[in-house]
Amino acid sequence: MASLRSFLRSGKTFVILFVVTSCASVFQVNVRDALNQAMDEELERDERVFLLGEEVAQYDGAYKVSRGLWKKYGDKRIIDTPITEMGFAGIAVGAAFAGLRPICEFMTWNFSMQAIDQVINSAAKTYYMSAGFQTVPIVFRGPNGSSAGVAAQHSQCFAAWYGHCPGLKVVSPWNSEDARGLLKAAIRDDNPVVFLENEMMYGVPFELSEEMMHKDFVIPIGKAKVERQGTHITLVSHSRCVGFCLDAAAVLAKEGVECEVVNLRTIRPLDVDTIEASVMKTGNLVTVEGGWPQYGVGAEICARIMEGPAFNYLDAPAVRVTGVDIPMPYAKILEDHSVPQIKDIIFSVKKVLNM
Amino acid sequence: MQKMMTLISNVLRGSVSRNAASVVVSSRSYADFTPEATFDIKKVDLHRLEEGPPLTSTLTREDGLKYYRTMQTIRRMELKADQLYKQKIIRGFCHLYDGQEACAVGIEGGITLSDHLITAYRAHGYTLTRGGTVREIMAELTGRREGIAKGKGGSMHMYTKNFYGGNGIVGAQVPLGAGVALACKYLGTDQLCVSLYGDGAANQGQIFETYNMASLWKLPIIFICENNQYGMGTSVERASASTEYYKRGDFIPGLRVDGMDVLCVREATKFAADHCRSGKGPILMELQTYRYHGHSMSDPGVSYRTREEIQEVRSKSDPISMLKDRMLSNNMASVEELKEIDIEVRKEIEDAAQFATTDPEPPLDDLCSHIYANEKSFEVRGATPWTKLTSHS
């Protein structure tokens, strides 16, 4: 269904065929499998790459993202850790110091708070403090942000927290193409990368072209993608909310409003140029994120637009659509109202456009 | 011959400047010195070990002179840093190592430079033993462009080959060290990693997490607790329910060693290194040592301990004096020779301090460099939206 929708959004009019045979030049791959394949290929390509984290090996991954990897690569390269985030994150960083290329999984990014000192003080800052002597080629990855019914301690978005810190690269893929290309890029990058996945996207299938399935397919970190061209307003988003923006755009298109949807792909370094170019074209901006509003990703984007050339092109103030400024509640009705919904995006667009 | 002439002339010079009565001039050649001697060393307390390091240590004249020189260099370098700090030429944090020299030098005597080492912030001594020069260490303390970290790191963030700092967050270096050890094992080398921490850090949770994983995975790591009796101003009895730090690794075998005796430290380190290299997994050493200075330069170091205590350690257990006495009483060196080394060390430190105070500060162009490795240059936001700075890898 998701691929059907994505076809509709993109405005293509040819007949959709669900291709399952090997002569196909498109592949249906969900985000989980895209991540799995990316790791598999990078483990194969470079012996220094290894994966560690809770349940990543024999359990196949808490969310099955590392399914099959332990069976293929064994104990040396796929390592189950005890429940000791600070310890194993530190070990992963130390291994990176000494020349390996670890992938350190946090079962969810909420648990990274146990280890955040190692991510920031040991990983992010070391290249600078050592004046370029000590590199830290590590990827920290795991699901980020809200899930479904997991309540306050398991639902926080850390894009703003990690995006705040120089020395880190922070990546937030939306679809399978993003997941695959960005994870490969992250693993090949010689710098510490915070890789923010989304649990609710794991099972969502997307189409990948043959080119995207190539083992050297990488997406450059630091470059946003315009997922949908538009003329009236720019919607900037990351991760799961990109899908909501595209859905909102489809609805708004029926009312004659053409939204340009920008998928950030990378939180840090932020691709301000792409956002500015879009805003200078459309004259209006709404940012959409799952995280809390105060000091968030949207806040940064709005500040940058204010400070740059795009400000003079704004026909209205830029606004943010965000998660509600509360810890995540459990009851479904409350949870549904804690996160940005498609109707919130549509409402905001109309407000900005004074419709 | 040259050396003998130097010795004679030094002694004569000495006698000329002295107003006192005539001095007995004795000339010594190398042949007169004992090439090596065996010393009894203190027995080591053991935890989960049947046998420990040997009770004697054989020291060659060459090694003795090397250890003496290195310890003296550390001592003088730290005292010079004290001076420069009081003159406000060194700023921020400055944690001095004088008193603990036997640890850094003894450890290095038990491993090689292809092994790895990581420590916390009291790191100037280790930066030296791991291959840094006094010049680049002092220039880093004064924040100059020729500093070992180009002035970007300061006292707590010095790095060199197989030396991972210099770490400011108490305890964080211990899992990092285990990660280095994991890499040693992963890459199939027989190298190990020495991971140091203090009595204050010994209660950090992440250290226990590291003990667990290092043991589970049999990592080639030597955990070393430098117990200098005080974590900042808190004595060990006030901080730890158990002050037997060599036993705190529980399932990890441990040794408690006299950290003021460079030979004790060396033999224990060799023993520990053998243990690791034979694939037995981690081992823990507690080095009982003492720091003469306070925790850092902002701590006079006398509010939580008495001057008498400090003086007692200085007079009875000073690591440099201990080695000197051993060598002299066993005819392994002469007083003049050691004095000569002292003079050379003093000169080296003076020159380095001179350099460190005159070398220019890093260029402003360097402000934003070294954010990312192997990356093309990119723009960094300055203090205002109009200040556009550039970052180079």
Side-chain angles (χ1 to χ4, degrees):
Chain A
M1 277 321 285
S3 65
L4 191 66
R5 274 205 302 224
S6 65
F7 258 89
L8 284 169
R9 270 182 226 126
S10 60
K12 292 188 182 127
T13 54
F14 40 81
V15 178
I16 301 140
L17 288 168
F18 279 93
V19 187
V20 295
T21 59
S22 58
C23 67
S25 58
V26 285
F27 301 83
Q28 286 278 43
V29 182
N30 63 28
V31 173
R32 176 187 291 109
D33 291 341
L35 295 167
N36 183 283
Q37 287 161 17
M39 284 198 286
D40 191 350
E41 288 164 21
E42 295 306 300
L43 283 157
E44 180 144 354
R45 177 180 178 266
D46 189 338
E47 272 180 10
R48 299 167 299 172
V49 177
F50 72 100
L51 171 68
L52 88 169
E54 294 155 12
E55 310 299 348
V56 296
Q58 298 189 19
Y59 196 83
D60 273 338
Y63 298 98
K64 307 300 176 210
V65 179
S66 55
R67 186 195 288 124
L69 296 179
W70 174 68
K71 212 165 177 184
K72 185 172 175 184
Y73 295 100
D75 287 332
K76 178 181 168 182
R77 304 193 62 204
I78 313 292
I79 304 175
D80 275 335
T81 63
I83 309 172
T84 49
E85 276 79 3
M86 199 169 186
F88 72 70
I91 285 177
V93 176
F97 282 175
L100 298 185
R101 303 188 74 91
I103 305 169
C104 176
E105 177 176 304
F106 291 119
M107 196 183 277
T108 78
W109 273 96
N110 301 285
F111 314 145
S112 76
M113 289 196 283
Q114 308 275 71
I116 197 166
D117 175 67
Q118 296 289 3
V119 178
I120 306 299
N121 279 323
S122 302
K125 296 178 186 173
T126 293
Y127 191 69
Y128 187 87
M129 291 192 295
S130 68
F133 183 82
Q134 179 64 66
T135 56
V136 194
I138 188 169
V139 175
F140 298 98
R141 52 160 287 274
N144 176 59
S146 61
S147 182
V150 294
Q153 293 178 343
H154 290 74
S155 305
Q156 189 169 331
C157 175
F158 289 86
W161 281 33
Y162 291 109
H164 189 56
C165 301
L168 280 183
K169 294 191 181 182
V170 180
V171 166
S172 184
W174 164 53
N175 61 10
S176 299
E177 178 192 344
D178 290 355
R180 178 180 169 75
L182 289 170
L183 186 54
K184 280 161 131 350
I187 294 167
R188 296 182 191 195
D189 201 305
D190 291 331
N191 295 288
V193 181
V194 162
F195 195 87
L196 304 170
E197 299 162 9
N198 187 294
E199 198 244 316
M200 304 190 47
M201 294 303 294
Y202 282 156
V204 181
F206 291 90
E207 294 207 345
L208 294 186
S209 68
E210 208 169 297
E211 188 204 331
M212 293 171 194
M213 292 302 280
H214 190 271
K215 59 181 168 60
D216 288 322
F217 172 74
V218 290
I219 290 179
I221 293 177
K223 204 83 191 65
K225 183 184 177 198
V226 178
E227 296 287 349
R228 182 189 195 280
Q229 299 274 352
T231 47
H232 300 120
I233 186 164
T234 301
L235 300 177
V236 179
S237 186
H238 72 99
S239 190
R240 189 155 177 256
C241 289
V242 173
F244 299 158
C245 289
L246 290 168
D247 291 343
V251 172
L252 286 161
K254 295 199 206 108
E255 294 181 56
V257 176
E258 292 299 327
C259 301
E260 179 143 296
V261 177
V262 177
N263 172 8
L264 282 176
R265 286 180 159 176
T266 302
I267 305 292
R268 177 182 266 267
L270 190 65
D271 183 359
V272 180
D273 291 345
T274 300
I275 303 170
E276 275 176 346
S278 178
V279 172
M280 294 199 286
K281 180 172 115 181
T282 65
N284 292 288
L285 173 63
V286 172
T287 70
V288 184
E289 70 200 282
W292 294 318
Q294 200 157 329
Y295 312 117
V297 174
E300 174 66 18
I301 293 170
C302 290
R304 298 256 203 138
I305 292 297
M306 290 272 279
E307 289 177 349
F311 173 74
N312 289 316
Y313 292 76
L314 282 176
D315 295 331
V319 301
R320 305 163 293 163
V321 172
T322 70
V324 177
D325 202 12
I326 52 172
M328 183 68 73
Y330 167 67
K332 185 159 197 325
I333 189 174
L334 297 180
E335 186 180 60
D336 289 345
H337 285 83
S338 305
V339 294
Q341 301 180 41
I342 294 166
K343 64 174 172 65
D344 296 316
I345 304 172
I346 294 169
F347 176 79
S348 304
V349 167
K350 288 184 174 176
K351 276 289 222 182
V352 166
L353 294 178
N354 211 14
M355 283 165 68
Chain B
M1 189 61 188
Q2 180 67 4
K3 189 80 186 194
M4 187 162 59
M5 295 307 290
T6 317
L7 278 169
I8 294 172
S9 66
N10 282 345
V11 173
L12 286 171
R13 228 181 287 128
S15 71
V16 163
S17 59
R18 253 173 284 175
N19 295 326
S22 63
V23 176
V24 173
V25 176
S26 54
S27 64
R28 312 275 290 276
S29 71
Y30 281 121
D32 286 340
F33 293 122
T34 316
E36 71 175 41
T38 302
F39 298 94
D40 289 331
I41 53 176
K42 261 202 207 131
K43 189 168 181 302
V44 157
D45 296 315
L46 301 175
H47 170 68
R48 288 190 190 272
L49 282 166
E50 292 298 312
E51 285 168 358
L55 294 170
T56 59
S57 180
T58 302
L59 178 69
T60 64
R61 182 182 129 80
E62 193 188 327
D63 279 345
L65 291 172
K66 186 175 82 179
Y67 299 157
Y68 181 83
R69 181 185 291 269
T70 313
M71 288 201 286
Q72 193 69 289
T73 305
I74 297 174
R75 176 68 56 94
R76 296 262 134 234
M77 181 176 72
E78 297 295 79
L79 293 178
K80 179 55 75 175
D82 170 287
Q83 234 178 49
L84 292 175
Y85 193 93
K86 286 172 176 150
Q87 294 173 278
K88 298 196 197 299
I89 299 170
I90 296 177
R91 329 170 300 123
F93 290 131
C94 193
H95 307 87
L96 298 178
Y97 199 68
D98 50 312
Q100 299 186 213
E101 296 86 354
C103 297
V105 175
I107 289 168
E108 200 61 48
I111 58 174
T112 73
L113 284 171
S114 26
D115 291 314
H116 306 260
L117 190 142
I118 189 170
T119 187
Y121 46 76
R122 200 175 301 280
H124 309 157
Y126 289 100
T127 314
L128 190 80
T129 54
R130 288 262 101 198
T133 66
V134 180
R135 229 167 111 98
E136 56 192 1
I137 293 170
M138 301 216 75
E140 187 60 33
L141 291 175
T142 56
R144 306 302 164 107
R145 65 179 65 187
E146 293 290 316
I148 198 168
K150 303 195 172 92
K152 302 287 266 289
S155 169
M156 300 183 288
H157 308 294
M158 302 194 193
Y159 303 79
T160 184
K161 184 168 190 289
N162 295 353
F163 175 58
Y164 305 90
N167 288 277
I169 307 298
V170 172
Q173 74 277 11
V174 179
L176 292 173
V180 174
L182 182 115
C184 293
K185 185 172 178 177
Y186 188 106
L187 294 168
T189 68
D190 75 339
Q191 294 158 12
L192 51 82
C193 184
V194 175
S195 199
L196 290 127
Y197 54 97
D199 49 279
N203 295 313
Q204 268 270 314
Q206 57 187 318
I207 293 184
F208 293 87
E209 296 187 14
T210 310
Y211 290 157
N212 183 43
M213 285 182 275
S215 290
L216 270 179
W217 302 335
K218 290 201 153 38
L219 300 181
I221 178 170
I222 305 176
F223 293 104
I224 300 189
C225 177
E226 282 179 293
N227 178 3
N228 61 16
Q229 302 298 315
Y230 300 93
M232 205 151 145
T234 306
S235 66
V236 290
E237 308 82 46
R238 291 205 305 123
S240 302
S242 163
T243 55
E244 295 185 302
Y245 296 103
Y246 72 114
K247 290 186 183 170
R248 299 285 292 277
D250 190 6
F251 36 78
I252 297 180
L255 309 101
R256 181 165 55 190
V257 177
D258 177 3
M260 302 305 270
D261 180 351
V262 69
L263 295 180
C264 259
V265 177
R266 184 183 75 171
E267 295 311 319
T269 307
K270 278 190 181 156
F271 177 85
D274 285 340
H275 176 103
C276 280
R277 286 192 232 278
S278 61
K280 296 195 185 117
I283 188 165
L284 202 165
M285 273 166 53
E286 176 187 342
L287 301 178
Q288 294 188 303
T289 183
Y290 200 84
R291 53 166 163 81
Y292 296 146
H293 269 86
H295 163 72
S296 71
M297 284 305 297
S298 57
D299 169 27
V302 287
S303 62
Y304 47 86
R305 56 185 187 174
T306 61
R307 286 182 209 275
E308 287 76 39
E309 178 187 293
I310 306 169
Q311 197 37 47
E312 175 145 5
V313 176
R314 247 192 228 281
S315 56
K316 297 212 177 101
S317 317
D318 184 271
I320 300 175
S321 302
M322 197 190 300
L323 178 64
K324 181 176 175 178
D325 290 344
R326 272 183 171 144
M327 290 188 72
L328 289 177
S329 56
N330 282 269
N331 195 27
M332 294 179 81
S334 70
V335 172
E336 295 81 12
E337 191 177 16
L338 296 182
K339 260 208 183 79
E340 187 64 35
I341 294 176
D342 290 349
I343 290 167
E344 283 166 14
V345 166
R346 227 178 270 258
K347 182 164 194 316
E348 188 185 357
I349 306 300
E350 276 308 319
D351 287 349
Q354 176 66 9
F355 175 73
T357 48
T358 53
D359 190 42
E361 288 189 284
L364 282 178
D365 289 344
D366 211 30
L367 179 68
C368 299
S369 297
H370 312 121
I371 296 289
Y372 296 135
N374 301 325
E375 193 89 352
K376 57 187 204 299
S377 302
F378 62 96
E379 195 182 283
V380 171
R381 193 207 142 92
T384 76
W386 300 276
T387 325
K388 295 193 198 303
L389 304 165
T390 314
S391 179
H392 304 291
S393 280

